[in-house]
Amino acid sequence: MTRTHEEVRPVLAGNPVAYTPASAAAQVERTLGWIEGRWKLVILFQLFGGKVLRFSELEQAIPAVSQKMLTQQLRQLEADGLVLRTVHSQVPPKVEYRLSDWGQSLCPVLDGLLKWSEARPRFD
């Protein structure tokens, strides 16, 4: 089994899967689909660290995104189990978003990708 970040290991506990090169590529492609989208990564980075944000706070934090697109991206992240949506029954409605435990476990993975990209050799 390949090495994983210590913070992710408990989430991934279970029987290791024996991948072939083709099945590994297919699984990684499917996994990347969960975070694919113009605004999904920006949303995830806004919510990392246990932050709980209202829709309006996310709008302010990501001014270039439209309401419609933010709603779509949040719904997809919620459907994929990365984001949790809490609706408080009050007037006006209060809706908060936070990462699920599984979504939060993505932080070290993305941090590793960021560090990996910074180490890219320059061929200028």
Side-chain angles (χ1 to χ4, degrees):
M1 186 168 163
T2 60
R3 184 174 169 264
T4 60
H5 192 281
E6 290 176 24
E7 293 179 27
V8 179
R9 191 176 308 277
V11 176
L12 300 177
N15 295 331
V17 177
Y19 288 106
T20 65
S23 67
Q27 180 63 28
V28 169
E29 188 173 330
R30 186 172 68 123
T31 301
L32 289 174
W34 296 329
I35 58 173
E36 181 180 49
R38 170 101 192 254
W39 301 105
K40 285 183 182 177
L41 286 172
V42 178
I43 294 167
L44 291 172
F45 276 101
Q46 289 293 329
L47 295 173
F48 280 142
K51 291 182 190 168
V52 178
L53 298 176
R54 295 179 68 171
F55 186 86
S56 60
E57 293 171 319
L58 281 167
E59 273 186 307
Q60 290 172 355
I62 314 168
V65 67
S66 69
Q67 268 191 354
K68 179 182 175 184
M69 185 56 67
L70 182 58
T71 300
Q72 285 177 347
Q73 300 283 273
L74 284 166
R75 284 184 182 158
Q76 289 172 2
L77 288 166
E78 182 184 10
D80 290 333
L82 294 166
V83 169
L84 299 174
R85 179 177 185 257
T86 305
V87 180
H88 300 276
S89 56
Q90 65 183 51
V91 178
K94 180 181 177 182
V95 180
E96 295 177 326
Y97 296 91
R98 65 181 176 90
L99 293 178
S100 65
D101 289 342
W102 188 59
Q104 188 64 45
S105 73
L106 189 56
C107 183
V109 176
L110 294 178
D111 187 48
L113 258 176
L114 184 60
K115 289 177 181 168
W116 177 74
S117 71
E118 290 171 352
R120 180 180 179 260
R122 301 288 178 222
F123 298 103
D124 299 17

